[in-house]
Amino acid sequence: MSSVDLGLPSSPPPTLAKRRPSRKIRVGKVEVGGDAPVSVQSMTTTVTADVNSTLQQIAELTAAGCDIVRVACPSPDDAEALPAIAQKSQIPVIADIHFQPKYVYAAIDAGCAAVRVNPGNIRKFDDQVKQIAQAAKDAGVSLRIGVNAGSLDKRLLEKYGKATPEALVESAVWEASLFEEHDFHDFKISVKHNDPVVMVQAYEMLAERGDWPLHLGVTEAGPAFQGTIKSAVAFGSLLSRGIGDTIRVSLSAPPVEEIKVGTQILQSLNLRPRKLEIVSCPSCGRAQVDVYKLADEVTAGLEGMEVPLRVAVMGCVVNGPGEAREADLGVASGNGKGQIFVKGEVIKTVPESQIVETLIDEAMRIAEEMEPVEGGSPAVTVS
C-alpha cells in the first residue's frame, strides 16, 4: 500500500465566527477571555471538607479534560479544607461562596485560584466590595460574579416580576460597576437561567454592555439527556457567534459527564482540537449489519485514543463507501463483509466477524504516526 499523509492540518480549522473581544483574566494557570481557548469547567459533588474524596474527584475531572474546577464552601469545615485542596489540585480551584462574606476571604487566603460570588445570596455583599476587591487584588485572585435566576436579588425580582434577561443583566452590570469603582477588573460574569432561550438572551445583552469575559451556563439543566440538549443548544447559539470564554455544563449526573459534553460541544464548533471521532450511520432498513453493535465495539476498543482520528462505521452501500472514503479510517459493510478504507483507499475486505478487530488494529497503526492532542474526549457522530 502506498504511504498516506496522516499529519495534522497545516491551518486552523474554520469556525463560524470570530471570538467576541473580551478582556483576559487568569484563573490560576488558565487564561480566560481574549484570545485564550474556551475552557471547560465542572464542580465537585463531594463534601469539600472530605479532602481525599474531593481531590480524587478532581483527579478524575482532570483526566477527562477539565480545565478549572469549582468546590462548594458552605461551612467552616469546608473553608478549612481549601488550602490542602488548592495546593494539591492539578488544575485551578475556584471556591463557590454563598451567604457568608467571611468565606470569600478564607478562600483567598487559602490560595484558591478564584472565588465565585453570588451577589443575590451574600449578605451585606455590596458593603464589602471594596475589601473583597483589595484582598483579591493583593493575592492575584480573580473573581466570578455569578448571577443565577434562582437567587436573584429581591429588589430586582420586585422590579421585573421574575428573572427576566433584563433582570439578570442589570444585576450583573451593577455588581461589575461596584468592583470597577475600586479599580478591580479581574473578574468574569455569568447570568445563568434554566431556560436556554432566556439564558441566550441574557448573554446577548450582557455581551453588548461591556468587554467582561463571560462564563456560560444553563443552570439546573436537568438529567444527562435533557441537560445535554439544553446546554448544547444554548452554548452552540452563543459560541457560534463568538460569545463565551469558559463553559460549565450543569447536569444531574457525575461531573465527568459534564466535561465529556462540554468538550464535545467545543470540538463540534472547532473551538477545541478534535480527538477520536466515530462517524456512524443511524441504521435503517438498508443496513445489512448491526451498526449499533459495530459502533459501540469500535468506540470501546479505541477508548483513550489521543490523536485526531476520524473513524467511519457504516452499514450500507448508499452512504457507506462515501463516508468511509472521507474518513481517516472507515468500513463500508454489507453482505456479510466489510471494505476497509484508509484515507480514501480500500486496503482490504474482511468478513463481518473481523471488522471490529481490523478497524482497531488499523487505528492503532495509524495513531502511531500521528501527534496526540491534549484535553478533550472521544466524539461519536451519527451521520
Side-chain angles (χ1 to χ4, degrees):
M1 185 184 71
S2 59
S3 62
V4 178
D5 179 13
L6 296 171
L8 291 169
S10 57
S11 59
T15 55
L16 290 170
K18 291 183 178 180
R19 289 276 297 282
R20 157 186 167 268
S22 62
R23 77 174 66 138
K24 183 184 290 186
I25 66 170
R26 296 193 70 88
V27 179
K29 64 183 179 181
V30 176
E31 293 181 330
V32 175
D35 59 357
V38 178
S39 52
V40 179
Q41 303 189 25
S42 185
M43 187 171 183
T44 55
T45 57
T46 57
V47 175
T48 303
D50 185 342
V51 174
N52 290 336
S53 295
T54 301
L55 285 172
Q56 176 61 38
Q57 193 168 80
I58 291 175
E60 294 168 0
L61 288 166
T62 303
C66 184
D67 298 306
I68 300 168
V69 66
R70 184 157 44 107
V71 299
C73 186
S75 74
D77 289 342
D78 297 319
E80 290 178 9
L82 289 177
I85 293 170
Q87 181 180 9
K88 295 179 181 179
S89 173
Q90 292 183 306
I91 56 178
V93 173
I94 298 177
D96 191 69
I97 308 299
H98 297 266
F99 306 118
Q100 294 291 345
K102 65 182 180 181
Y103 294 142
V104 175
Y105 304 108
I108 293 172
D109 292 340
C112 290
V115 179
R116 180 274 176 103
V117 292
N118 185 336
N121 271 353
I122 297 184
R123 291 188 290 272
K124 297 183 178 179
F125 177 82
D126 290 357
D127 296 339
Q128 297 199 35
V129 167
K130 181 178 181 180
Q131 294 93 322
I132 291 173
Q134 190 61 54
K137 183 181 293 186
D138 291 344
V141 170
S142 61
L143 302 176
R144 170 158 73 96
I145 298 173
V147 178
N148 265 27
S151 53
L152 197 62
D153 189 296
K154 64 180 182 180
R155 294 167 294 184
L156 291 168
L157 286 175
E158 292 171 357
K159 177 178 179 179
Y160 290 97
K162 60 181 180 179
T164 64
E166 293 81 2
L168 295 169
V169 172
E170 182 171 329
S171 175
V173 172
W174 165 251
E175 302 300 342
S177 71
L178 295 182
F179 280 100
E180 289 166 342
E181 284 179 6
H182 299 290
D183 196 29
F184 185 82
H185 305 276
D186 293 332
F187 60 86
K188 56 186 182 293
I189 300 178
S190 63
V191 281
K192 296 186 178 183
H193 198 285
N194 60 65
D195 185 328
V197 173
V198 175
M199 174 268 200
V200 168
Q201 291 175 332
Y203 278 99
E204 288 173 337
M205 293 178 186
L206 190 59
E208 293 293 327
R209 298 287 297 273
D211 67 347
W212 312 287
L214 302 181
H215 169 113
L216 302 188
V218 178
T219 190
E220 290 95 35
F225 178 76
Q226 175 181 294
T228 294
I229 298 300
K230 291 170 72 172
S231 297
V233 168
F235 293 2
S237 174
L238 292 165
L239 291 169
S240 66
R241 288 176 287 150
I243 299 173
D245 301 289
T246 185
I247 64 173
R248 190 263 172 114
V249 176
S250 298
L251 301 178
S252 299
V256 165
E257 297 303 310
E258 298 184 351
I259 299 304
K260 292 179 180 178
V261 174
T263 298
Q264 182 51 36
I265 291 172
L266 296 183
Q267 288 184 9
S268 297
L269 293 167
N270 286 336
L271 293 172
R272 176 169 286 209
R274 301 188 184 201
K275 298 175 75 174
L276 173 66
E277 182 178 6
I278 306 294
V279 177
S280 61
C281 62
S283 194
C284 67
R286 298 189 301 266
Q288 297 176 330
V289 297
D290 188 340
V291 178
Y292 304 151
K293 183 171 181 285
L294 281 181
D296 285 346
E297 290 180 351
V298 171
T299 301
L302 298 179
E303 185 177 3
M305 183 164 281
E306 299 293 319
V307 297
L309 183 70
R310 175 175 291 196
V311 181
V313 181
M314 306 301 296
C316 80
V317 297
V318 174
N319 293 323
E323 290 284 2
R325 190 173 289 114
E326 288 297 316
D328 300 301
L329 170 65
V331 61
S333 311
N335 297 321
K337 58 187 179 182
Q339 281 189 318
I340 307 297
F341 290 76
V342 173
K343 284 294 182 177
E345 299 180 9
V346 178
I347 62 165
K348 64 180 75 172
T349 300
V350 300
E352 182 179 333
S353 61
Q354 296 179 18
I355 288 175
V356 173
E357 177 186 355
T358 303
L359 284 176
I360 292 173
D361 287 345
E362 289 297 325
M364 296 301 182
R365 181 186 63 79
I366 293 170
E368 291 179 357
E369 305 175 32
M370 302 179 75
E371 294 293 329
V373 174
E374 294 183 0
S377 56
V380 177
T381 301
V382 178
S383 65

